[in-house]
Amino acid sequence: MPKFEAGMESMLDMFVFETGDLLEKLDETLMRTEQEQTIGEDDINEIFRTMHTIKGSAAMMGLQNMSTLAHAMEDLFYIIRDDPNVKYDKAGLYELLFASSDSLKGELDNLSDDDIPLTDFTELEGKIHAFAAQMKGESAPAQDAQAGSGEQEDLSHLFPDDEDESILTYKVTYQESCAMPSARGFVLLRGLGQMAEVTSTVPADLDADEADDEIKANGLIIKLITDDPQKVLEFLEDGINVEKAQQLHKPDKTAAPQQTTPQQEAPTPQQAEKAVEQAKEAAPGTKQAPKKAAPKHEQSLITVNLEKLDQLLDLVAEIVITQGSVTSSPDLKDLGVDLDRFNKSARELKKLTDELQDSVMSIRMVPVSTAFQKMNRVVRDMNQKLKKGVTLEFEGEDTEVDKSIVDILNDPLMHITRNAVDHGIETPQERAAAGKTEPPTVTLSAGYDSGEVVISCRDNGAGMDRAKILAKAKKNGLLTKPESEYTDKEVYAFTIAAGFSTNEQITEYSGRGVGMDVVKKNIEKVGGKLLVDSEMGVGSVFTIRIPLSLSIIDVLSVRVGENSLSVPTVSVREVFSCKQEDYILDPDGNEFVMLREMCLPLIRLSRHFGIPSQVEDIQKGILIYCTEGEKGAVLFADSIISDQQIVVKPFSPLLSAFPLKEAGMSGCSILGDGTITIGLDVKEILKATGGEKEK
């Protein structure tokens, strides 16, 4: 990490976040305009503003390498914006833009490592300057020469007759090597706010496009009110890249005035007021100068560190646990008093905690498109090298998921998308030989299903060769039963085994097996799973299923013997008792229950998990009708404990060797009376017993 200027270290996280967001949006614009083969006026202005913003913020942080690289790209679009008909190599321009974007992203990643020095972008900047020179031609005028037409000797326009005598005027001149004097000016104003009251600056808008040229030509004029003029002067002289700082005095009116240039015209009242506001924003907490009252504009959006939201979610989880401990305390049963008022307050408390949880979760929700959009760049770069002309399409990109899930999806989606383009989609020659006329397409889709977010990546490529995969699995010693007993999905699942690939040659992107086993493990760490399906000649689909909420869920806690099990209420359709005439036992020993003309399979939780039960009679226990997807079944337990919320915690890594997930256990939690309950995954329970048809 570079040595930042005083006070800049605390701004690093915000700089990295905002600059990264700008670069992501820049990539989206570049890919869209490249595909459309045209850059409109709005796109040119947007790219120019993006580079201008990065240039300024990087310079303010002291990251001169990033600032000069962004400045070089800004100069390119200054030429295009000034003359939209200028001739240039569009392919070459996009390569420079993407290379610059990648370089800036890489530098943002390096800022978190103290041992990595700042990257030297001189070579890339040289290519950009050469490209700009080619665009301008030899007759193009130098912008700096025009801007620096000479410093005006007459400064009388800076001292209007009606100006308050307490206002002092200072001039700051920056070194020629300073690429962003306007950004340095913001830093100075921030520091001045601790010792003076800034009233205006010339130029009035330090963020304007022409501010740098004006400051280089005429210096930065600062008007302020202070009790210690010498201290202000010393502070200005010590500024970064400051060549000279001086206090200006009102000139003698008997001297012949010189004509001023438009750049040195006195600021209008509106410009002066804007400069004052900029100075106060740069230095919060400073004394405010009296001014005309203006309408107050409140912020509608703020940026919050994700760690703070994680802490807030953890606090809500603890509140839920404590609430359950209070309302379910066994001591209440021993009081022998009327608890109507207590129960009413407990219900109100539950309502408020539910609303609090919903609010916290809604804050954390972001559209999955933030992960999808990044794949555009992956497909674009692969098309450049593989020449497959793949189109990337999105479905359900507005689906909102927890921010932590989006972070988890970034790496798996990159691997899956790369494999779909490289291994799934055929070459144009192969598609033509197969008689395919539809364009090669990879589709990313998102949606909800039974309390899970479902992300899929499908392609319309060649599909997977079942026989080829099975032969490779046999060669690698992965088969555990006769080949004829393997289903298609079991065979396709071999493609996400460690090191498994059907590619004959190792390429830059390799086959489906490279990295996919890591993807699978990372998804399983958060309670998700990765599924594979394919059809020869039609295409393949990789599906990621992750629990929508990784923490607090509503459950129906039931007793089975001495154990507590919790069934998610999202899966519960009905709780009922059974009469003997509604109970059916077939010749094979399978149990069924009749419910309103539906014959449903019966799953005794005690037998499913191999735990002793105190109730075996079907008429004395409790039956819970549950559904997942298209199928349903009835779960049998001893009794109901309560209907409540629990905070599901994942099992210890020490238990990873046991198939807990496959058995239908999603995690554990603590009930109000201090006992531990096991959260159930109804989908897995139904699948294991045949109660659900696997999709």
Side-chain angles (χ1 to χ4, degrees):
M1 183 186 296
K3 184 178 180 181
F4 293 101
E5 299 172 19
M8 293 293 105
E9 296 88 345
S10 61
M11 300 172 62
L12 178 60
D13 288 342
M14 183 62 68
F15 167 76
V16 171
F17 171 78
E18 292 182 347
T19 304
D21 186 55
L22 286 172
L23 291 173
E24 291 294 342
K25 293 178 180 177
L26 174 65
D27 274 1
E28 294 176 17
T29 301
L30 294 179
M31 286 181 287
R32 174 176 53 78
T33 56
E34 184 183 40
Q35 187 176 9
E36 296 173 353
Q37 298 184 348
T38 180
I39 306 180
E41 181 181 351
D42 292 341
D43 298 321
I44 293 172
N45 290 331
E46 181 181 349
I47 297 172
F48 181 87
R49 285 193 298 268
T50 297
M51 290 302 178
H52 180 78
T53 302
I54 294 176
K55 175 187 71 173
S57 56
M60 185 176 294
M61 293 296 297
L63 301 169
Q64 206 63 36
N65 62 332
M66 295 182 67
S67 178
T68 53
L69 177 58
H71 196 173
M73 295 307 302
E74 179 190 23
D75 287 343
L76 276 184
F77 277 85
Y78 180 87
I79 299 171
I80 299 173
R81 190 178 67 167
D82 191 51
D83 182 10
N85 298 319
V86 65
K87 303 297 183 182
Y88 59 89
D89 177 14
K90 289 186 178 180
L93 175 66
Y94 278 103
E95 288 305 316
L96 286 176
L97 285 168
F98 280 120
S100 300
S101 176
D102 290 343
S103 298
L104 292 172
K105 288 179 184 176
E107 193 69 354
L108 289 179
D109 294 337
N110 293 341
L111 292 179
S112 60
D113 193 331
D114 296 346
D115 299 327
I116 300 179
L118 293 180
T119 305
D120 185 2
F121 297 130
T122 304
E123 182 179 353
L124 180 56
E125 291 168 11
K127 294 179 181 179
I128 297 171
H129 291 314
F131 193 90
Q134 187 178 12
M135 292 172 64
K136 292 188 296 184
E138 295 183 354
S139 60
Q143 297 176 18
D144 290 342
Q146 188 175 10
S149 58
E151 183 177 346
Q152 298 295 320
E153 296 296 331
D154 182 16
L155 302 177
S156 58
H157 61 284
L158 296 175
F159 301 91
D161 294 336
D162 58 348
E163 184 177 72
D164 191 331
E165 293 296 332
S166 63
I167 297 178
L168 306 181
T169 305
Y170 292 83
K171 179 180 178 181
V172 178
T173 305
Y174 286 95
Q175 301 167 354
E176 292 185 5
S177 61
C178 181
M180 275 289 296
S182 61
R184 295 300 181 198
F186 274 121
V187 176
L188 281 182
L189 293 178
R190 180 184 178 90
L192 281 175
Q194 307 300 320
M195 62 184 73
E197 180 186 320
V198 178
T199 59
S200 65
T201 64
V202 179
D205 185 2
L206 297 185
D207 196 39
D209 294 344
E210 64 277 5
D212 284 326
D213 292 336
E214 186 172 347
I215 294 175
K216 287 180 180 179
N218 307 310
L220 173 62
I221 307 299
I222 304 174
K223 286 183 171 288
L224 52 82
I225 299 174
T226 180
D227 295 331
D228 194 341
Q230 184 60 31
K231 184 178 179 181
V232 169
L233 183 60
E234 293 174 355
F235 173 80
L236 296 176
E237 291 175 338
D238 292 337
I240 303 296
N241 294 132
V242 171
E243 181 177 301
K244 181 181 179 182
Q246 61 185 124
Q247 182 179 352
L248 302 181
H249 299 283
K250 195 171 185 178
D252 186 359
K253 291 193 176 186
T254 59
Q258 296 186 11
Q259 185 177 1
T260 61
T261 64
Q263 285 184 331
Q264 290 180 307
E265 291 179 356
T268 64
Q270 292 80 7
Q271 291 175 323
E273 184 173 351
K274 185 174 183 180
V276 173
E277 292 303 319
Q278 287 179 331
K280 290 174 182 175
E281 290 175 1
T286 60
K287 181 181 177 182
Q288 297 186 4
K291 66 181 183 67
K292 184 178 178 180
K296 183 178 180 181
H297 299 283
E298 296 183 357
Q299 274 188 306
S300 58
L301 295 173
I302 62 172
T303 302
V304 180
N305 191 310
L306 185 59
E307 291 183 1
K308 294 183 178 180
L309 293 182
D310 289 339
Q311 293 174 359
L312 181 59
L313 185 61
D314 289 341
L315 285 175
V316 173
E318 294 301 323
I319 290 174
V320 170
I321 293 175
T322 305
Q323 170 196 321
S325 177
V326 172
T327 56
S328 303
S329 175
D331 295 339
L332 295 174
K333 300 178 182 179
D334 301 333
L335 294 178
V337 296
D338 186 5
L339 297 177
D340 286 346
R341 294 181 60 185
F342 174 83
N343 291 331
K344 181 179 179 181
S345 299
R347 288 192 296 270
E348 184 66 23
L349 176 60
K350 184 179 184 302
K351 177 184 176 183
L352 293 175
T353 53
D354 287 348
E355 292 178 359
L356 177 60
Q357 180 201 345
D358 290 342
S359 297
V360 173
M361 294 305 297
S362 66
I363 294 173
R364 297 172 58 92
M365 299 293 273
V366 295
V368 76
S369 60
T370 57
F372 280 8
Q373 292 294 342
K374 296 179 181 179
M375 300 306 110
N376 274 316
R377 181 65 188 279
V378 173
V379 174
R380 182 262 176 192
D381 290 346
M382 294 186 71
N383 278 334
Q384 293 286 321
K385 295 182 179 180
L386 302 179
K387 308 299 181 184
K388 290 188 175 182
V390 178
T391 300
L392 181 64
E393 296 181 351
F394 300 143
E395 295 177 356
E397 65 267 31
D398 294 333
T399 301
E400 290 193 337
V401 297
D402 191 278
K403 178 63 169 64
S404 60
I405 294 179
V406 171
D407 293 340
I408 292 167
L409 287 174
N410 285 327
D411 189 58
L413 277 180
M414 182 186 69
H415 282 283
I416 294 173
T417 304
R418 278 182 174 176
N419 283 309
V421 176
D422 180 40
H423 191 70
I425 299 294
E426 317 95 321
T427 64
Q429 296 78 13
E430 291 171 337
R431 293 182 70 86
K436 291 188 174 182
T437 57
E438 70 275 12
T441 305
V442 173
T443 304
L444 295 177
S445 63
Y448 306 121
D449 179 34
S450 301
E452 294 179 319
V453 56
V454 181
I455 310 293
S456 67
C457 174
R458 67 177 184 271
D459 62 69
N460 62 351
M464 299 186 194
D465 189 329
R466 186 184 192 280
K468 189 176 181 180
I469 295 173
L470 201 56
K472 185 65 178 289
K474 183 178 180 180
K475 180 180 177 181
N476 290 0
L478 299 177
L479 301 186
T480 58
K481 57 185 179 181
E483 296 181 29
S484 59
E485 296 183 10
Y486 278 93
T487 65
D488 287 347
K489 288 193 175 182
E490 288 177 326
V491 173
Y492 298 139
F494 285 128
T495 61
I496 55 178
F500 188 95
S501 176
T502 55
N503 267 10
E504 299 297 334
Q505 295 181 341
I506 297 177
T507 67
E508 178 182 354
Y509 306 104
S510 194
R512 288 190 186 272
V514 175
M516 296 305 294
D517 61 312
V518 178
V519 170
K520 180 174 180 289
K521 290 178 181 178
N522 289 340
I523 293 174
E524 289 176 346
K525 284 181 181 178
V526 294
K529 50 191 172 184
L530 176 63
L531 307 174
V532 188
D533 198 4
S534 182
E535 184 176 348
M536 193 68 178
V538 177
S540 304
V541 57
F542 281 67
T543 303
I544 301 172
R545 302 183 71 99
I546 299 178
L548 184 59
S549 173
L550 304 179
S551 54
I552 305 172
I553 60 174
D554 291 307
V555 297
L556 182 66
S557 294
V558 298
R559 181 79 61 189
V560 179
E562 299 296 328
N563 302 278
S564 171
L565 304 176
S566 294
V567 184
T569 55
V570 69
S571 301
V572 177
R573 294 295 173 265
E574 188 173 343
V575 178
F576 63 99
S577 298
C578 179
K579 298 179 181 179
Q580 188 61 42
E581 57 266 27
D582 293 328
Y583 172 74
I584 301 173
L585 180 66
D586 71 5
D588 296 326
N590 299 314
E591 296 179 295
F592 298 88
V593 172
M594 294 298 299
L595 178 64
R596 290 189 300 276
E597 300 183 356
M598 293 186 295
C599 186
L600 302 171
L602 177 67
I603 302 173
R604 293 179 182 264
L605 293 176
S606 59
R607 297 178 186 176
H608 178 79
F609 291 110
I611 54 180
S613 172
Q614 297 176 350
V615 179
E616 292 294 334
D617 189 345
I618 193 70
Q619 299 183 77
K620 295 182 179 179
I622 193 72
L623 292 96
I624 309 165
Y625 172 38
C626 298
T627 60
E628 280 290 343
E630 299 176 357
K631 297 295 181 178
V634 174
L635 306 183
F636 180 73
D638 295 0
S639 61
I640 293 179
I641 299 176
S642 64
D643 176 13
Q644 60 185 314
Q645 286 184 326
I646 64 170
V647 181
V648 179
K649 301 290 185 180
F651 291 112
S652 168
L654 297 175
L655 302 175
S656 58
F658 301 96
L660 302 179
K661 175 72 175 176
E662 292 75 7
M665 292 182 280
S666 61
C668 56
S669 183
I670 300 177
L671 296 180
D673 59 1
T675 59
I676 295 177
T677 184
I678 301 297
L680 300 186
D681 186 336
V682 175
K683 191 180 186 71
E684 290 294 334
I685 293 176
L686 297 184
K687 183 190 300 184
T689 58
E692 182 202 33
K693 180 165 61 178
E694 189 176 355
K695 297 183 180 65

